[in-house]
Amino acid sequence: MYRFCYPNWMRQVKHTLSTETNGPGLYEITRSVNNWCQQQGMEEGLLTLFVQHTSASLTIQENADPDVCLDLNDFFNRIAPRTGPYRHSAEGPDDMPAHIKTALTQTQLTIPLLQGRLSLGTWQGIYVFEHRDHRHSRRVVMHLMGE
Amino acid sequence: MYRFCYPNWMRQVKHTLSTETNGPGLYEITRSVNNWCQQQGMEEGLLTLFVQHTSASLTIQENADPDVCLDLNDFFNRIAPRTGPYRHSAEGPDDMPAHIKTALTQTQLTIPLLQGRLSLGTWQGIYVFEHRDHRHSRRVVMHLMGE
Amino acid sequence: MYRFCYPNWMRQVKHTLSTETNGPGLYEITRSVNNWCQQQGMEEGLLTLFVQHTSASLTIQENADPDVCLDLNDFFNRIAPRTGPYRHSAEGPDDMPAHIKTALTQTQLTIPLLQGRLSLGTWQGIYVFEHRDHRHSRRVVMHLMGE
């Protein structure tokens, strides 16, 4: 007893998303991620987001009240201040705190895709969390495996 | 040279687990997760847990001494106190600390399934970490891909 | 219209990596992980690393300036000191801080494999973050799914 494998059988697709940032804070990428996923035409699968940096990170947070993102950024500034006793200072006072904030949040997020949609809760948004002062273009690898 | 694909070839299954919480703290879900995985009859695979909230999170911790969970909850209360200088306060004094604690822990966990069992270490338990005061029903999406 | 499934169609491989640690700090495992992945001969896939402990964790950090790792370890000692008001103390003063540091970092990392290579950024290294004083052998389960 066997089953023929149709072309929509399990497969992988990937893409790199670039996000322009302009100073510390949370930049929502939910719509871009969602749009790309929809275009792949999968019904069920697993999406992995991977940010290729160590001074910017990923987080899933409330996307209803924008104050939540501001308060979050403030919290991370309090917990990892620029004036800490850091050895690593050659890249500027915002760099070592950026590495700490990255360690405390996520470099990678994996989200199930159910019935063609990301299984995010009602108030969940996906964010790139920028920790450095200057403008950056941040790369997020998107990898979707499913059928 | 080709191989026929038998029905137990790579597949995906998913389910939503509801966990009732009654105030801040860690609620172990290891047994429920394990039981569901066993029922799927897979030998090798990848389990992803995704909590659909931004004021409750996931963590893997020691499940031997219950004091570890109490100390963890205390630590997160010290690091993200209710009396912080928060803009976001309309949903109560426990809400912004809840978002911070979620950012500091996990919204998602992925665990390999090996020889039909989750590859947890001897003392590792899977927990829903509730950060809010009132009773909640927390949804954890379970997605298992394997064969 | 159907497609025959060739032997290199989607598959899973896994292996357990042991890392010897000798006191708190970050131990880079990028090369070992990379080497194992290369040996599997996959073009596209998803690598999951899972550490089977609750007093050691995983993190992705800058692997250029070694001071970053020292500063990170210092930061986690400041935020989770040994002299905290902990109930759980029977396993030594370094144990409860170790659980806290684990909760604040990662037990699991998932990294896409693209064109036969892990999609790490230029400066990203994979580390086992040891939080305990004594020598340990830390197990990291590696699970690779792809084709």
Side-chain angles (χ1 to χ4, degrees), chain A residues 80-95:
Chain A
R82 289 167 185 239
T83 54
Y86 307 125
R87 296 171 186 81
H88 176 76
S89 59
E91 294 176 61
D94 60 331
D95 195 54

Side-chain angles (χ1 to χ4, degrees), chain C:
Chain C
M1 189 180 78
Y2 61 85
R3 170 196 283 184
F4 287 114
C5 291
Y6 287 88
N8 66 340
W9 200 247
M10 204 81 89
R11 62 191 169 93
Q12 303 177 80
V13 284
K14 75 273 178 184
H15 182 65
T16 300
L17 182 71
S18 284
T19 302
E20 307 304 312
T21 64
N22 190 10
L26 288 93
Y27 296 79
E28 188 163 11
I29 58 170
T30 317
R31 186 170 303 191
S32 306
V33 174
N34 246 326
N35 285 350
W36 180 77
C37 285
Q38 302 285 321
Q39 288 162 13
Q40 311 315 312
M42 284 190 193
E43 273 301 297
E44 311 283 328
L46 198 62
L47 173 74
T48 296
L49 302 175
F50 185 86
V51 65
Q52 295 184 303
H53 308 277
T54 60
S55 56
S57 53
L58 296 170
T59 191
I60 287 181
Q61 272 299 325
E62 182 186 302
N63 63 359
D65 178 0
D67 279 349
V68 170
C69 291
L70 298 174
D71 282 344
L72 265 178
N73 193 47
D74 285 356
F75 168 80
F76 282 96
N77 283 335
R78 287 196 297 278
I79 205 177
R82 290 168 183 238
T83 53
Y86 307 125
R87 295 170 186 82
H88 176 78
S89 58
E91 293 176 62
D94 60 331
D95 194 53
M96 192 57 223
H99 293 310
I100 292 171
K101 294 167 186 176
T102 296
L104 290 170
T105 52
Q106 318 300 322
T107 289
Q108 161 264 321
L109 289 169
T110 297
I111 309 171
L113 184 84
L114 307 179
Q115 299 176 303
R117 298 176 67 88
L118 287 176
S119 58
L120 292 169
T122 312
W123 310 112
Q124 285 183 316
I126 309 169
Y127 293 87
V128 168
F129 199 169
E130 175 61 65
H131 305 302
R132 300 222 56 191
D133 294 347
H134 293 298
R135 300 175 78 90
H136 280 92
S137 181
R138 298 306 196 171
R139 293 184 309 277
V140 178
V141 173
M142 301 190 286
H143 175 276
L144 182 59
M145 184 185 272
E147 58 191 310

Side-chain angles (χ1 to χ4, degrees), chain A residues 9-29:
Chain A
W9 199 247
M10 204 80 90
R11 61 191 169 94
Q12 304 177 78
V13 285
K14 74 273 178 183
H15 182 65
T16 299
L17 181 72
S18 285
T19 302
E20 308 303 314
T21 64
N22 190 11
L26 288 93
Y27 296 79
E28 189 164 10
I29 57 170

Side-chain angles (χ1 to χ4, degrees), chain A residues 75, chain B residues 75-82 86 96-98 100-101 104:
Chain A
F75 169 80
Chain B
F75 168 80
F76 282 95
N77 284 334
R78 287 196 297 276
I79 204 175
R82 289 167 184 237
Y86 307 125
M96 193 56 223
I100 292 171
K101 293 167 188 175
L104 290 170

